[in-house]
Amino acid sequence: MPMTEQATGAQHPQPRARNGGPSSATVEHLTGAQSLIRSLEEVGADTVFGLPGGCILPAYDPLMDSTRVRHILVRHEQGAGHAATGYAQATGKVGVCMVTSGPGATNLVTPIADAAMDSVPLVAITGQVASAAIGTDAFQEADICGITMPITKHNFLVTRAEDIAHTVAEAFHIASTGRPGPVLVDIAKDALQAKTSFSWPPTMDLPGYRPVTKPHAKQIREAAKLITQSRRPVLYVGGGVMKAGATAELKVLAELTGAPVTTTLMALGSFPDSHPLHVGMPGMHGSVTAVTALQKADLIVALGARFDDRVTGKLDSFAPYAKIVHADIDPAEIGKNRAADVPIVGDAREVVADLVQAVQAEHTEGTIGEAARTGYAAWWKDLNRWRETYPLGYDLPEDGSLSPQQVIQRIGELAPEGTIFAAGVGQHQMWASHFIQYEQPATWLNSGGAGTMGYAVPAAMGAKAGMPERAVWAIDGDGCFQMTNQELTTCALNNIPIKVAVINNGALGMVRQWQTLFYNQRYSNTVLHAGPDADGNAAKGTRVPDFVKLSEAMGCHAIRCEDPADLDKVIAEANAINDRPVVIDFIVHEDAMVWPMVAAGTSNDEVMAARGVRPDFGDNEDD
């Protein structure tokens, strides 16, 4: 697979490996397995999430002697992959997972695909059958390089012990530079067992890999002119800004221009939610103001974003009046979905820093337009009217039961400062994006591109392992929770005291919402915990499984909350317990829905603020 850059992202802390020759280092004689563990130590890997098996077993023996690499034994390989992702997202370092061949490796496919979609720096190490047996359908053989080729930034099959050290160095370099992404290193068992010479640093040979980080000055100047001449600009901020460490520069650019800022699901926290220039999250379940701002804009400055379908809605009707400045470290993303008037290839931090200087130069030269000179007063009059008329909100259930939105909002309000939140996928993910305030980068972890159920618990585990001093809450649904909750055992046995809120509505909530809206309330196979009755609804009072008993069996402190009067008390109880994982089973109303909403395949102009409520923008915004 050619090692070309594939999308948004930026520089992560570099592995300590650098191009160099073995002549300047002490040569040691080790096994391939010892070389692997030494290489992990030298590139700065301090935590590996894994599960041993036959082909990777030679590596686990020297791992036992390492004082620099902590291994966390997971209960399922998928948990190892998501934990490595959560670790990477929380710390900014490369996440590492290690499993055996065959089914061990194929169980990593989902988290690898997840990491690829969200540009997460991940190195997955897999054992492989002995090199002579490759291709013979040997026991527990799977062509994991072939399987993962479309979902990795690059992958390696290593069949010689002498290639292990430089391959590990190259893998970490590729994963963490340019657009970050997952790299797979598949190592044959005989390569781990053979003797080799080890020296560090090794010579890296990556002739086709030269990510561009410095943007072209002419493109920066053109972008600055468009910004200062536009009347209705929007800064459309994606996850690449977070990965580039460009959040401080973004704040300077936003305040310099006075343009509204919308942050995607992957970028929440890159710009403070409380900042007056922030108009919310765009997309299918974005705020009315953010969705409409993009639709009415005459200029969109996309920074580390990729114009994915959940943001654009029906693509040919997206932002019909807007010119596009698209800055991305991956040239393949520019123009992929929406043509760019000013394409900029480069690292987001360098792009934004250069834009700040270029816009300042436009101000100094006095060439800015009237709208920019007045701080886009007319534009902000419209934006503020939409923001005041269609704020995010929710109704409390009439029957006095718990509102899921209220549960999540109070968790956010009562959590310690700097708490990291990891969410599963579905309604609870959207409510967590809406009703928790994100003021700092790397405090919101979720599966944005792949939408992976089961992400939250292992990702929270990885985040807490990497940032032990921070509180970590997993906001999960009862459907997602049943996919990977076995990793609570891992947390309990490894002193990883995460907190888990199970938003338990007895159903696959987001699918049920679609069935309510688009399938005449025919609830086909979305009921959880109990067999459905004649109307497709769960039998009342049934709890299969009982999440409290299940969590206690895995070594957790567990609480059930059904009464709104107990809400703050149980959250405070969870926050006070830091010697073991805590799980709260929140029994919430099953009919709560996520709003706003743009139905799949429709135009963002058809955004619904609530069920049956279509915003009225009047006639003067289209001028």
Side-chain angles (χ1 to χ4, degrees):
M1 178 181 179
M3 289 175 288
T4 56
E5 275 306 277
Q6 296 174 13
T8 308
Q11 303 303 104
H12 282 255
Q14 298 292 303
R16 289 199 289 267
R18 290 292 183 270
N19 287 357
S23 58
S24 60
T26 302
V27 176
E28 301 175 70
H29 298 288
L30 307 173
T31 65
Q34 291 170 323
S35 176
L36 171 63
I37 303 307
R38 284 290 306 276
S39 298
L40 289 174
E41 291 175 341
E42 295 300 328
V43 295
D46 55 28
T47 306
V48 173
F49 302 90
L51 190 69
C55 288
I56 197 64
L57 197 57
Y60 271 80
D61 188 65
L63 179 60
M64 190 175 184
D65 298 325
S66 177
T67 59
R68 294 161 63 184
V69 178
R70 176 191 186 190
H71 182 272
I72 296 175
L73 175 64
V74 299
R75 266 50 189 174
H76 190 284
E77 291 91 354
Q78 182 179 353
H82 291 317
T85 291
Y87 172 95
Q89 290 175 315
T91 65
K93 298 190 288 187
V94 177
V96 187
C97 52
M98 186 163 68
V99 303
T100 197
S101 64
T106 58
N107 279 342
L108 279 183
V109 169
T110 294
I112 289 172
D114 181 274
M117 288 288 280
D118 289 345
S119 303
V120 178
L122 181 75
V123 171
I125 299 167
T126 55
Q128 184 54 275
V129 298
S131 53
I134 293 175
T136 69
D137 291 333
F139 178 67
Q140 290 193 333
E141 180 189 1
D143 178 11
I144 195 61
C145 286
I147 291 168
T148 61
M149 187 171 288
I151 55 170
T152 50
K153 190 174 177 184
H154 190 62
N155 61 42
F156 299 88
L157 172 61
V158 182
T159 58
R160 304 190 311 163
E162 55 265 38
D163 294 332
I164 290 175
H166 75 78
T167 299
V168 170
E170 290 166 3
F172 274 74
H173 180 70
I174 293 168
S176 62
T177 55
R179 176 189 185 175
V183 177
L184 181 130
V185 180
D186 192 33
I187 309 176
K189 186 174 183 178
D190 56 322
L192 292 170
Q193 294 170 320
K195 291 285 189 179
T196 187
S197 298
F198 176 85
S199 62
W200 199 269
T203 300
M204 291 195 294
D205 184 22
L206 300 170
Y209 184 68
R210 295 289 184 270
V212 174
T213 59
K214 184 67 177 173
H216 196 286
K218 179 178 181 295
Q219 302 301 90
I220 292 289
R221 289 194 299 271
E222 290 298 318
K225 288 177 183 177
L226 285 179
I227 292 170
T228 55
Q229 294 297 323
S230 65
R231 297 165 56 205
R232 300 187 300 276
V234 176
L235 299 181
Y236 160 38
V237 176
V241 168
M242 190 93 72
K243 291 174 173 62
T247 56
E249 290 81 359
L250 172 64
K251 190 168 183 284
V252 173
L253 178 65
E255 292 177 347
L256 174 65
T257 62
V261 178
T262 178
T263 50
T264 68
L265 185 66
M266 294 306 299
L268 296 180
S270 60
F271 192 78
D273 278 358
S274 61
H275 198 289
L277 294 177
H278 191 246
V279 295
M281 182 179 77
M284 174 179 276
H285 293 295
S287 73
V288 169
T289 307
V291 171
T292 308
L294 291 171
Q295 287 301 98
K296 306 295 186 183
D298 66 358
L299 176 67
I300 292 174
V301 181
L303 302 169
R306 56 190 180 87
F307 292 92
D308 68 286
D309 60 298
R310 286 295 165 114
V311 167
T312 66
K314 188 179 179 183
L315 188 59
D316 60 10
S317 67
F318 174 71
Y321 316 110
K323 290 186 176 181
I324 304 295
V325 173
H326 191 178
D328 204 297
I329 199 163
D330 182 358
E333 287 293 344
I334 297 176
K336 185 177 78 175
N337 294 326
R338 175 67 180 257
D341 297 279
V342 180
I344 303 174
V345 178
D347 172 74
R349 188 172 186 178
E350 297 202 35
V351 169
V352 178
D354 286 0
L355 276 175
V356 167
Q357 292 186 348
V359 170
Q360 287 173 332
E362 292 291 318
H363 282 255
T364 300
E365 293 167 12
T367 57
I368 65 174
E370 182 62 26
R373 189 171 293 110
T374 62
Y376 304 110
W379 183 217
W380 274 107
K381 181 179 178 182
D382 288 337
L383 293 165
N384 287 327
R385 176 161 50 84
W386 302 333
R387 190 151 56 178
E388 292 164 8
T389 307
Y390 304 106
L392 293 172
Y394 55 90
D395 295 321
L396 296 176
E398 294 180 359
D399 63 1
S401 59
L402 272 176
S403 155
Q405 300 98 319
Q406 183 184 26
V407 168
I408 292 169
Q409 184 173 22
R410 290 304 288 159
I411 289 172
E413 290 169 347
L414 297 174
E417 184 178 356
T419 293
I420 297 169
F421 297 92
V425 169
Q427 288 181 314
H428 62 280
Q429 176 192 28
M430 294 297 102
W431 290 322
S433 72
H434 285 168
F435 298 111
I436 295 175
Q437 289 274 303
Y438 300 100
E439 302 295 315
Q440 302 174 27
T443 54
W444 165 247
L445 318 179
N446 82 123
S447 171
T452 305
M453 292 181 68
Y455 166 91
V457 169
M461 175 176 72
K464 183 67 173 175
M467 305 289 283
E469 74 286 356
R470 303 276 283 275
V472 178
W473 271 93
I475 310 294
D476 220 0
D478 46 334
C480 290
F481 183 68
Q482 292 184 73
M483 293 194 172
T484 53
N485 61 55
Q486 67 269 22
E487 299 309 334
L488 288 171
T489 302
T490 308
C491 292
L493 294 176
N494 288 275
N495 190 30
I496 305 175
I498 65 171
K499 307 175 198 309
V500 182
V502 181
I503 309 302
N504 186 351
N505 63 359
L508 298 172
M510 187 62 86
V511 184
R512 188 180 193 276
Q513 175 169 330
W514 282 47
Q515 289 173 333
T516 300
L517 297 174
F518 307 119
Y519 292 89
N520 298 315
Q521 297 179 291
R522 288 166 54 83
Y523 299 120
S524 174
N525 292 284
T526 46
V527 174
L528 299 170
H529 305 319
D533 60 22
D535 296 321
N537 297 307
K540 299 300 181 183
T542 59
R543 297 194 178 100
V544 180
D546 184 320
F547 290 144
V548 169
K549 292 179 180 178
L550 178 65
S551 300
E552 287 175 343
M554 290 187 283
C556 303
H557 181 80
I559 317 166
R560 178 169 290 115
C561 181
E562 301 181 73
D563 188 339
D566 296 331
L567 181 57
D568 284 13
K569 180 181 68 175
V570 299
I571 295 172
E573 181 180 341
N575 283 329
I577 296 172
N578 293 299
D579 62 347
R580 64 199 130 149
V582 181
V583 176
I584 308 179
D585 183 19
F586 290 103
I587 309 300
V588 301
H589 198 282
E590 66 183 1
D591 289 328
M593 292 193 186
V594 178
W595 299 103
M597 180 176 180
V598 179
T602 66
S603 169
N604 282 355
D605 289 326
E606 298 177 48
V607 61
M608 301 292 288
R611 191 171 184 182
V613 179
R614 175 70 55 77
D616 179 7
F617 300 111
D619 298 320
N620 65 329
E621 281 83 34
D622 293 341
D623 59 5

